[in-house]
Amino acid sequence: MLYLTDEEFKYISTYIKDNYGLNLTKKKTLIEGRLGNYVSGLGYQNYMDYFRYAMSDKAADEMVVLINKLTTNHTYFLRENEHFDFYRDTVLPWVDKTLRVRDLYVWSAGCSSGQEPYTLSMITLNYLGANAASWDSTILASDISDKVLAAAKEGLYSKEELSGLPDNWLRRYFVSRGNDKYSISDTLRNNVAFRNFNLLSPFPFKKPFHAILCRNVMIYFDTPVKNAIINKFYDALLPGGYLFIGLSESLSGCSHKFKFIKPSIYQKID
Ligand SMILES: C[S@@+](CC[C@H](N)C(=O)[O-])C[C@H]1O[C@@H](n2cnc3c(N)ncnc32)[C@H](O)[C@@H]1O
């Protein structure tokens, strides 16, 4: 087992917090547990030599490998389902019947391996029904990890991962690939646009979103980082648009202009 010195721990956790928002200042054991074997397997005698190598990689590929190892990508279809009920019953009718526009733009920020954006897509397509073809609906799905984005784009899931979905969704939106594996249909694939994006970067999006889901992502961030991101979400939403955070998360301690709708759901009001 390779142990982190206090100096290495301080340097590495500060660098990762400043550049990727992940607050690992109390996670020394986590870093050792997730990186130890990998770092020594590469032949390094200490973490700092490995970290210098990761920082010197101009393409930042090694830094992405490192971030992938330190973040938790756990997700599943229909996770925190009350959000999807609210999306179906409030957000979609607001866009459809109140705004009377036909271009829906929703962002799954921190999408992991795709279950969240594909769930949004299935609910949207079910809601639009036969009118879907006359809508220009896009679910933007972003994550900092190339590994999960590759899995999301591939869209191949086991029967067990899909077990919570209604049978008619399975028939409509998935294609059996044998060995209890299913891949997403082209309809779903064409509705979701994937992109690697670090939430700490300036937001480049020109078109405002009707809804943003950033669930179970900001648990890694401390209050100043969270505050900055929440305010960027506010600016990126259309007035009346909604922000969803994880059910176990809150915006307490953050200074923002969102209206509180109910725990974990907020609305931009001006
Ligand atoms: C636990 S998953 C959440 C997935 C999904 N939103 C859900 O609730 O099931 C958290 C995701 O946030 C991503 N993430 C962490 N820090 C990030 C950052 N700075 N920018 C973008 N994504 C980040 C991780 O790579 C991971 O895939």
Side-chain angles (χ1 to χ4, degrees):
M1 174 76 175
L2 199 57
Y3 291 100
L4 265 173
T5 65
D6 288 347
E7 219 169 279
E8 286 176 328
F9 175 54
K10 195 166 170 220
Y11 185 89
I12 293 172
S13 58
T14 307
Y15 183 91
I16 289 176
K17 189 160 159 245
D18 290 349
N19 290 280
Y20 300 95
L22 307 185
N23 188 354
L24 301 169
T25 46
K26 294 197 179 97
K27 305 272 172 141
K28 192 171 179 211
T29 322
L30 181 140
I31 300 180
E32 287 172 336
R34 296 214 178 152
L35 292 184
N37 286 345
Y38 177 69
V39 169
S40 43
L42 289 177
Y44 291 98
Q45 307 295 321
N46 63 67
Y47 286 91
M48 214 45 230
D49 284 349
Y50 164 71
F51 202 66
R52 272 190 213 100
Y53 153 69
M55 284 190 300
S56 70
D57 183 352
K58 294 258 182 310
D61 289 347
E62 190 56 35
M63 207 41 104
V64 170
V65 171
L66 190 154
I67 296 297
N68 285 344
K69 290 192 180 295
L70 293 176
T71 53
T72 302
N73 307 114
H74 180 64
T75 186
Y76 48 93
F77 283 99
L78 290 172
R79 182 181 195 176
E80 300 177 353
N81 198 16
E82 48 260 68
H83 288 155
F84 297 111
D85 289 346
F86 187 93
Y87 174 72
R88 181 196 59 210
D89 299 337
T90 304
V91 179
L92 289 173
W94 165 63
V95 177
D96 183 13
K97 304 203 169 83
T98 316
L99 295 183
R100 295 178 173 281
V101 290
R102 288 181 169 253
D103 64 334
L104 176 76
Y105 198 30
V106 175
W107 181 15
S108 164
C111 65
S112 192
S113 37
Q115 289 86 337
E116 180 179 280
Y118 289 135
T119 303
L120 282 169
S121 178
M122 287 186 277
I123 293 174
T124 305
L125 296 173
N126 282 346
Y127 176 89
L128 298 178
N131 297 325
S134 64
W135 277 69
D136 181 12
S137 84
T138 305
I139 314 292
L140 172 67
S142 70
D143 203 283
I144 198 173
S145 159
D146 281 333
K147 193 170 119 207
V148 290
L149 282 172
K153 279 184 207 163
E154 189 184 17
L156 188 66
Y157 301 101
S158 67
K159 195 173 182 181
E160 200 189 331
E161 286 174 286
L162 302 175
S163 60
L165 296 179
D167 282 349
N168 60 335
W169 291 22
L170 260 188
R171 284 196 297 274
R172 197 174 308 161
Y173 299 116
F174 292 86
V175 182
S176 171
R177 297 292 178 203
N179 291 329
D180 277 352
K181 293 276 184 194
Y182 293 79
S183 62
I184 50 149
S185 68
D186 287 345
T187 320
L188 226 49
R189 195 180 298 281
N190 294 336
N191 194 222
V192 181
F194 288 101
R195 169 172 186 165
N196 186 309
F197 185 68
N198 180 354
L199 290 166
L200 267 71
S201 309
F203 287 5
F205 314 110
K206 299 230 162 42
K207 194 171 144 187
F209 296 97
H210 295 103
I212 298 174
L213 282 81
C214 186
R215 308 182 311 152
N216 308 300
V217 177
M218 290 182 289
I219 34 168
Y220 303 111
F221 304 156
D222 63 11
T223 307
V225 172
K226 204 159 93 176
N227 204 64
I229 295 174
I230 294 299
N231 283 289
K232 290 194 285 183
F233 283 148
Y234 191 90
D235 293 339
L237 279 166
L238 195 74
Y242 292 88
L243 171 70
F244 298 75
I245 61 173
L247 277 181
S248 59
E249 301 173 273
S250 92
L251 298 189
S252 69
C254 294
S255 149
H256 62 82
K257 293 190 273 177
F258 279 107
K259 179 180 170 194
F260 172 85
I261 300 295
K262 57 172 155 165
S264 72
I265 303 181
Y266 298 82
Q267 188 177 24
K268 173 170 177 168
I269 34 164
D270 59 20

